[in-house]
Amino acid sequence: MINETPRVRFAPSPTGYLHVGGLRTALYNYLFAKKNNGTFVLRIEDTDRNRYVPGAVENLIAALEWCGVTYDEGPHKDGGYGPYIQSERLEIYQSLCKELVEKKKAYYCFCTPERLDALKVEQEKAGQQKKYDKHCIHLSDAEVADRLAAGERYVIRMSILDGQSIEFDDIVRGHISFQSDTLDDQVLLKGDGYPTYHLANVIDDHQMKITHVIRGEEWLPSTPKHVLLYQAFGWEIPIFSHLPLLLNPDRSKLSKRQGDVAVEDYKSKGFLPEAMVNFVALLGWTAGDDKEFYQLNELVQAFSLERVNKSGAVFDLNKLTWLNAEHLRKKSSPELAVLLAKSLQDSDLPVKEFTTEFLVSVIDAMRERVEFIHEVWKNGSYFFQRPAAYDAAVKTKRITEKSKKLMEEYIAELQQNCDGSKESFEHALHVVAEKNEVKNAELIHPLRLALSGVGGGPGVYDIAVILGKEESIERINIFNETL
Ligand code: GLU
């Protein structure tokens, strides 16, 4: 066991966006590091040049930052173990790989793609496992030297002896054992001089003094190869934790086809980072009680790898939405007003700038009625602009031949006796209702329609107070012209 303070890493291959599964891996690494006073490293695994996406690293860093899952070491944050971008470490991989060749743990392979293809076809026909037949392991040192001198294209392969049992313990999955016969003589260094994932990953985890490897279950089949590589180098093996797969509600592997998988998509749909983090934390982990609402600092306190489940975790969008509403409600109105001000910039409203005081009052009226901040201006657009139309169904149902006259009297009453307070709006309405011997509702419905254009929403007097006396009167007048 490794007894130093933990060093963990999130090692994404930059694809251009942060996958929710990637966020889960990053988060668990972060939580584990924070809980144990360890260090959380971000390492970029960009050795597959075919998959290079410009700007991907900066996008990834921005997405992690948005979630508050900040790394201690990595690109732009040197901790003495850099570079943290694999494409900047090629010489390290090349020279260490050659050491493996000297130790006879790896060998040069000059097989052409044509030969390898033919081999696969042959093995398939014979019903055998498709794997490299170690053709080049038998080349003499002299022959290798000649072919290298002649400039022949080569790869370096790991030499995996049959008949070995590869064993390791995984914090989540328990004791694991693989038979080496099932493993191919994995390419470590490719023809273009770039390492494969396996070589670079093991070298970096060793050189960056990673104590715990916490990653998705899809990497479990790679782990025996990594164990063999650690042994070949003579290095200590880190502690592994493989996190359960993320599943669609139909229990298939989480895929783009059934919904968004990029954290950025959720951001642009208006989800709060706090909700995203809370939700992702529960994909495969519980504290063992019923608690579901967590802030990031509470997660740090509660988290442990021992409580990560083995079975797949279903991505339930309804739960994420529920958590979004919960996190929204936990924020103060001034905090929400700041979010609202930002969100208004994305709206199609003609005016997007309002005073903080006004925004806070709108928030106070709407906060219990929304799950997303943008719903404040989507469902409550009337706070920000006059209604462009009046709900026809509500109008038919609620407007009577008396409505217009009642509204006119209400305006007169407001002009005389309203000081803009909720009580005075309400009192004026009661006075007119009494005078006309009608129920308050006979005025409330047309008033609501006049002010908002719709049939539901916050209390009608609250709306009136927020709009103010002048604007409310103006809106009633405009409405009356339609009656
Ligand atoms: N580069 C791998 C990925 O994209 C890293 C896997 C690991 O953590 O070892 O997820």
Side-chain angles (χ1 to χ4, degrees), residues 90-160:
L90 299 184
E91 278 150 35
I92 301 174
Y93 310 126
Q94 288 161 358
S95 83
L96 280 166
C97 195
K98 287 180 186 156
E99 269 181 33
L100 283 186
V101 175
E102 279 155 29
K103 290 191 193 169
K104 301 277 181 232
K105 304 284 187 188
Y107 59 93
Y108 286 92
C109 169
F110 299 94
C111 288
T112 60
E114 291 73 30
R115 179 177 185 275
L116 296 174
D117 286 345
L119 178 67
K120 270 188 212 153
V121 172
E122 219 175 275
Q123 287 172 333
E124 187 150 33
K125 249 195 243 155
Q128 292 165 347
Q129 190 199 346
K130 278 187 263 171
K131 64 188 227 183
Y132 182 61
D133 62 356
K134 297 184 186 278
H135 182 73
C136 289
I137 204 170
H138 309 295
L139 298 176
S140 68
D141 290 351
E143 194 174 342
V144 169
D146 285 348
R147 292 176 78 163
L148 289 177
E152 254 188 74
R153 198 170 165 91
Y154 66 87
V155 300
I156 294 180
R157 287 182 185 273
M158 186 175 174
S159 167
I160 300 181

Side-chain angles (χ1 to χ4, degrees), residues 9 11-13 45 197 201 215 219:
R9 85 305 192 270
S13 299
E45 301 207 328
Y197 154 68
N201 190 271
R215 63 183 168 201
W219 303 101

Side-chain angles (χ1 to χ4, degrees), residues 186-201:
Q186 185 70 52
V187 173
L188 298 177
L189 201 67
K190 296 181 277 189
D192 60 2
Y194 275 77
T196 55
Y197 154 68
H198 307 286
L199 180 70
N201 190 271

Side-chain angles (χ1 to χ4, degrees), residues 9-13 25 43 45 51 197 201 205 213-216 218-219 226:
R9 85 305 192 270
F10 173 47
S13 299
T25 302
R43 180 173 76 228
E45 301 207 328
R51 288 174 58 193
Y197 154 68
N201 190 271
D205 282 346
V213 168
I214 305 166
R215 63 183 168 201
E218 61 274 28
W219 303 101
H226 298 179

